Amino acid sequence: MQYQTQFIKIKDLPPADSFLSSSESAYLQTLRSEKRKGDWLGGRFALKTLLARESGLLPVCSLPAARPDGAPEMSAAALHVLKQIDIVKLPSGAPQVFVGAVPDARSVSITHSHGWAAAAVSAPHTFLGIDLEKTEPRSRAWAEEFFDPCERGDGSPAHLTKVWTQKEAVVKLLGRGLSLNTREIILAGSGLKLTGRALEAWQGAGRPQIILNSAAFDNDFVFTAAFAPAAAGAKFGKI
């Protein structure tokens, strides 16, 4: 597998102070919305657990078994491990991971939607972006604003949601965030086509092959991962 993933129900998170680093706890206090706090915590917990597992810092192969009430039960020792992983938001918006104050070179990405959070990690010198979205009706105006005509297909919620997750995953992989227009990323039967600033970012990265994997998740969601091995001298970031 070129990348590993971890999903977590946000309502099942342990107390924030049990797994956040001191700097993360300070940042949490700056968030006003309870929903924003929950989404942010869910992404951090999913990524910390995944990184700890992949680093061999946690002996479990995934989240510990859930208690009867559905909440993940982790030992104090395991939670202490998570507190040693610090996820810092860089000015570009990309997350930078530190494990025991040492920068971690692996590529990471976080997403959340309607009570779920997910994280993914791949090896150093690769690029990664993920997106999770709930399948639900979308307005025609929304499709016309964000989709090229060739992408709209039958206009069904399932189709539009899948294409949207693919666009968002590629935006994250390219590391340009809100500076990219989703219409610069076109997904149709012929494959992936980039234009404008998205094309410039891809060319600057050495034109790596971008692989898209989309799958249904928990019946009502679509999850997409965009992955690319980085070319020599690649400089674009990740979110």
Side-chain angles (χ1 to χ4, degrees):
M1 177 67 77
Q2 296 159 321
Y3 54 87
Q4 300 294 329
T5 58
Q6 178 71 67
F7 295 83
I8 181 69
K9 279 191 174 181
I10 294 172
K11 71 177 182 63
D12 292 343
L13 294 175
D17 60 2
S18 70
F19 67 90
L20 292 182
S21 68
S22 58
S23 64
E24 290 169 331
S25 294
Y27 181 79
L28 177 64
Q29 301 308 310
T30 69
L31 302 179
R32 302 301 180 190
S33 162
E34 290 303 314
K35 180 183 183 302
R36 178 74 182 97
K37 288 181 179 180
D39 290 343
W40 185 85
L41 286 169
R44 261 61 190 173
F45 184 74
L47 181 54
K48 283 168 172 270
T49 303
L50 178 58
L51 288 168
R53 185 183 79 206
E54 294 302 306
S55 301
L57 300 176
L58 285 181
V60 294
C61 64
S62 186
L63 284 175
R67 298 198 304 267
D69 62 4
E73 184 175 8
M74 299 186 75
S75 68
L79 289 168
H80 180 73
V81 168
L82 300 191
K83 289 175 75 74
Q84 309 313 304
I85 299 173
D86 195 11
I87 304 169
V88 178
K89 183 179 180 181
L90 298 177
S92 65
Q96 173 63 62
V97 175
F98 294 83
V99 179
V102 177
D104 191 302
R106 288 172 292 183
S107 292
V108 299
S109 189
I110 297 172
T111 185
H112 45 74
S113 178
H114 290 77
W116 280 99
V121 60
S122 60
H125 312 303
T126 60
F127 291 89
L128 184 66
I130 64 172
D131 192 54
L132 177 69
E133 298 287 345
K134 185 175 182 179
T135 302
E136 54 189 357
R138 309 279 187 171
S139 70
R140 179 176 178 179
W142 176 80
E144 292 176 349
E145 180 176 359
F146 295 108
F147 290 72
D148 187 89
C150 69
E151 297 176 302
R152 297 171 195 166
D154 61 5
S156 67
H159 174 78
L160 293 178
T161 300
K162 177 181 177 180
V163 175
W164 181 252
T165 64
Q166 293 174 338
K167 285 173 172 282
E168 288 287 288
V170 171
V171 166
K172 291 182 177 182
L173 179 146
L174 294 175
R176 297 297 181 86
L178 296 177
S179 70
L180 290 184
N181 185 327
T182 56
R183 294 195 70 156
E184 297 173 341
I185 299 167
I186 302 172
L187 293 135
S190 58
L192 173 63
K193 177 182 178 182
L194 303 176
T195 64
R197 288 163 294 182
L199 177 61
E200 292 173 3
W202 178 72
Q203 290 173 332
R207 302 170 181 260
Q209 179 186 10
I210 298 176
I211 302 166
L212 292 171
N213 291 318
S214 298
F217 173 76
D218 195 44
N219 298 319
D220 298 325
F221 294 80
V222 177
F223 174 77
T224 290
F227 172 82
K235 295 182 179 179
F236 63 80
K238 56 187 181 295
I239 293 180

